[in-house]
């Protein structure tokens, strides 16, 4: 454990827990992570906590407005000493900017007594904090892939695909996609269907004109997955791959999840 992590651990042990009565659901807390806490913002979203990321475009006024709406601003010790007096009482906390994201996450979870359950894990988009997802079948995603010049499936010559596809098909038989932990489909609580919300002529979400991000999809992955979930806010595509399994096992290993 690094000196900064050790300091964070000692700080956590000394800091009073904000909620002593009972653990609260991950969905009951709302945070804003300062510029240097992007990794923490993603981790919090992964466990189902409504977390905005204050990049360099955020102004002090915007932060104030959000804390007035019951969001808690997480920032560095140096900035905390300045802005805590400008924000509502109890809405600004400091997080070490040298500690690893897992230690920062542990700090927040322990301090606010947040209960991480199967129902909360991966219920929000880790990229944009969205919580409404579009369910799409493999056929529907393939239609979107054909519209995208950036997709690896669309851009890879057919002559270059068979060997790769054959190799991965063999791997699929021997090493199926991990499904340990909660069922992948149950992670997404607010779900709409692709046929009702996506324009298959343009590859965009009809409500906001966001393009579905199929650029990272590969043919061998698509041959293994039947169902996909697309963030309706940013277009990021999710499927039950290794990231899902790693996230779940990560939470268990660090004793952060409750059955």
């Amino acid at each position: 454990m690094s000196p900064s992590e050790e300091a964070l651990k000692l700080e956590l042990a000394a800091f009073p827990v904000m909620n002593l009565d009972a653990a609260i659901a991950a969905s009951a807390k709302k945070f804003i992570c300062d510029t240097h806490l992007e990794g923490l913002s993603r981790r919090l979203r992964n466990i189902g906590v409504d977390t905005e990321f204050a990049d360099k475009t955020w102004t002090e006024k915007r932060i104030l407005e959000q804390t007035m709406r019951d969001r808690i601003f997480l920032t560095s010790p140096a900035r905390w000493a300045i802005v805590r007096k400008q924000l509502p009482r109890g809405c600004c906390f400091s997080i070490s900017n040298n500690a690893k994201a897992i230690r920062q996450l542990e700090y927040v979870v322990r301090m606010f007594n947040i209960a991480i359950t199967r129902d909360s894990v991966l219920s929000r988009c880790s990229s944009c904090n969205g919580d409404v997802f579009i369910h799409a079948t493999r056929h529907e995603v393939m239609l979107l892939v054909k519209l995208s010049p950036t997709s690896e499936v669309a851009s890879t010559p057919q002559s270059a695909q068979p060997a790769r596809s054959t190799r991965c098909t063999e791997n699929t038989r021997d090493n199926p996609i991990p499904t340990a932990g909660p069922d992948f489909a149950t992670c997404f609580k607010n779900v709409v269907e692709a046929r009702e919300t996506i324009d298959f002529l343009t590859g965009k979400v009809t409500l906001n004109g966001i393009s579905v991000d199929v650029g990272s999809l590969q043919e061998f992955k698509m041959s293994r997955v039947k169902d996909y979930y697309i963030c309706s806010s940013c277009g990021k595509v999710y499927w039950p791959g290794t990231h899902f399994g790693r996230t779940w096992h990560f939470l268990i290993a660090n004793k952060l999840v409750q059955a």
Side-chain angles (χ1 to χ4, degrees), residues 134-165:
I134 302 169
H135 170 251
T137 64
R138 179 166 51 206
H139 172 70
E140 289 169 330
V141 171
M142 278 299 301
L143 294 176
L144 296 172
V145 165
K146 291 177 181 179
L147 293 174
S148 174
T150 62
S151 168
E152 293 189 25
V153 178
S155 60
T156 303
Q158 289 296 321
S159 59
Q161 291 182 9
R164 179 192 196 182
S165 178

Side-chain angles (χ1 to χ4, degrees), residues 19 54 65 87-88 115 128 145 161 169 189 194-195 199 201 218 246:
N19 177 24
E65 290 174 346
L87 301 179
C128 76
V145 165
Q161 291 182 9
T169 300
K189 304 300 183 293
R195 61 179 178 273
D199 183 345
L201 295 178
Q218 299 170 339
R246 284 198 305 268

Side-chain angles (χ1 to χ4, degrees), residues 95-249:
I95 299 288
S96 172
N97 52 340
N98 293 319
K100 293 181 179 179
I102 173 54
R103 297 304 166 202
Q104 295 171 338
L105 175 65
E106 182 180 11
Y107 179 93
V108 174
V109 169
R110 306 291 187 207
M111 186 171 66
F112 293 96
N113 201 8
I114 297 173
I116 308 173
T117 65
R118 290 171 178 262
D119 289 337
S120 64
V121 175
L122 299 182
S123 58
R124 305 191 76 90
C125 176
S126 61
S127 291
C128 76
N129 197 41
D131 65 347
V132 177
F133 294 87
I134 302 169
H135 170 251
T137 64
R138 179 166 51 206
H139 172 70
E140 289 169 330
V141 171
M142 278 299 301
L143 294 176
L144 296 172
V145 165
K146 291 177 181 179
L147 293 174
S148 174
T150 62
S151 168
E152 293 189 25
V153 178
S155 60
T156 303
Q158 289 296 321
S159 59
Q161 291 182 9
R164 179 192 196 182
S165 178
T166 300
R167 181 175 67 252
C168 293
T169 300
E170 293 173 352
N171 288 342
T172 302
R173 183 171 57 251
D174 299 330
N175 302 294
I177 292 175
T179 56
D183 180 68
F184 182 73
T186 64
C187 292
F188 308 100
K189 304 300 183 293
N190 302 320
V191 179
V192 293
E193 292 298 321
R195 61 179 178 273
E196 301 170 354
T197 52
I198 292 179
D199 183 345
F200 286 94
L201 295 178
T202 62
K204 296 182 178 181
V205 179
T206 54
L207 182 63
N208 53 25
I210 295 292
S211 296
V212 177
D213 183 12
V214 294
S216 63
L217 290 175
Q218 299 170 339
E219 185 178 30
F220 77 87
K221 290 180 181 178
M222 300 190 67
S223 67
R224 303 166 64 187
V225 181
K226 295 181 179 180
D227 297 286
Y228 298 80
Y229 292 85
I230 303 163
C231 175
S232 64
S233 297
C234 71
K236 182 179 176 66
V237 181
Y238 292 86
W239 64 89
T242 55
H243 170 70
F244 174 67
R246 284 198 305 268
T247 298
W248 180 249
H249 288 297

